[in-house]
Amino acid sequence: MDAAELASQARRGRFVEVLPQLLDVARSDADPEQAWQAAMGAIEILYWQDGFVEAAELAERVVRGAPPGSEVNDQGFPFVDAIIDAQLRGGVPAEPRLRDLADRLAPDSYLRERLLSAADESAAGSWEAPDRSYDFGAPVRPVDDSVIGGELLSEDFSTLNPKQKRVYWQALYETRDFPRADDIFRTLGESPEQFDLCSWMAGCYALQGEVTLGEELLIRAHRDYWPFTIWDTLPTSQVVDPVIGKAITARVREYYLTQPVGPEAEA
């Protein structure tokens, strides 16, 4: 079974069961292209098991083992991120590993460029935590012409049709209007359909110490996650975010590691 087939099997809710097979392919020297593809899916599952150090070791192994001209040169995620997160979450220095791997790649390699950029940021001390664009706890921004759907915010949410509600949620996110989002969730039980928006609300609840509500939003976010490539298995943005991470309880981990996701959830 190749890497794409194994990733598909994992997305059927068999992440823990399929992980050893993905690791076997990723650590095999038989087919370097299959190795890095399997590593992508394996790294994402390892994140949900707090296996950040192992994920970085796997990333380093497959990049080192890739022959000249390998398509791994066109990748950035998750290999660069895995090495960075091993420092942030596991205390393993990233800069030497990033530069060493970059030196092994062709000058025109996109992966080399990403590795060196991350190494420079590390040396400058310009990254200390994952990039958080959610702005948890930020003041509500004014509604202006740049906010798509801003005109809907003057409407009664309960009277809107599903398409309008989706735009309404997006406008709340763009303006960081968590108080209004919180009110809708508490009074109507409704939440965004979008993965990022549910994650934003989960982080806002986690910041306030309302972990149970954060859990619920992360579970609702799961239904909208869609893999970016055929080798993806699980999202990683949540588990590395220090705020959202407070709401990733045992219940959330079990849910993400046992429930079908993406196209396999719709099969």
Side-chain angles (χ1 to χ4, degrees), residues 2 15 29 46 51-52 54 59 97 102 107 112 116 127 207 214-216 222 233 243 246 254 257:
D2 66 17
F15 299 99
D29 297 325
L46 287 169
F52 297 103
E54 185 178 356
R97 303 172 85 177
R112 181 177 187 273
L116 289 175
W127 55 257
L207 190 65
E215 284 181 322
E216 178 61 30
H222 179 276
T233 52
V243 176
K246 296 174 183 177
E254 181 180 8
L257 286 169

Side-chain angles (χ1 to χ4, degrees), residues 59-195:
E60 188 172 16
R61 177 188 176 95
V62 297
V63 174
R64 285 177 178 276
S70 168
E71 290 186 17
V72 76
N73 285 281
D74 300 325
Q75 312 302 316
F77 177 84
F79 306 114
V80 178
D81 304 70
I83 294 171
I84 292 172
D85 292 330
Q87 173 170 318
L88 296 174
R89 301 296 294 271
V92 182
E95 185 188 354
R97 303 172 85 177
L98 293 165
R99 295 197 187 282
D100 180 63
L101 289 180
D103 288 343
R104 298 171 180 273
L105 301 175
D108 61 348
S109 165
Y110 169 74
L111 178 56
R112 181 177 187 273
E113 178 183 327
R114 289 277 287 105
L115 288 162
L116 289 175
S117 176
D120 289 343
E121 290 176 15
S122 175
S126 56
W127 55 257
E128 296 295 336
D131 176 28
R132 297 219 318 266
S133 59
Y134 292 110
D135 294 337
F136 303 118
V140 177
R141 301 172 184 172
V143 179
D144 55 31
D145 293 340
S146 68
V147 178
I148 298 174
E151 70 282 356
L152 289 174
L153 296 182
S154 62
E155 303 292 331
D156 181 346
F157 178 84
S158 65
T159 67
L160 302 178
N161 63 44
K163 182 177 180 180
Q164 290 173 318
K165 286 182 177 181
R166 186 176 179 89
V167 177
Y168 188 104
W169 282 116
Q170 187 66 44
L172 290 182
Y173 175 60
E174 289 184 26
T175 57
R176 300 302 190 263
D177 194 343
F178 176 68
R180 199 178 324 196
D182 174 49
D183 181 63
I184 293 171
F185 181 55
R186 290 181 190 271
T187 59
L188 301 178
E190 294 195 46
S191 59
E193 296 179 359
Q194 302 95 311
F195 177 82

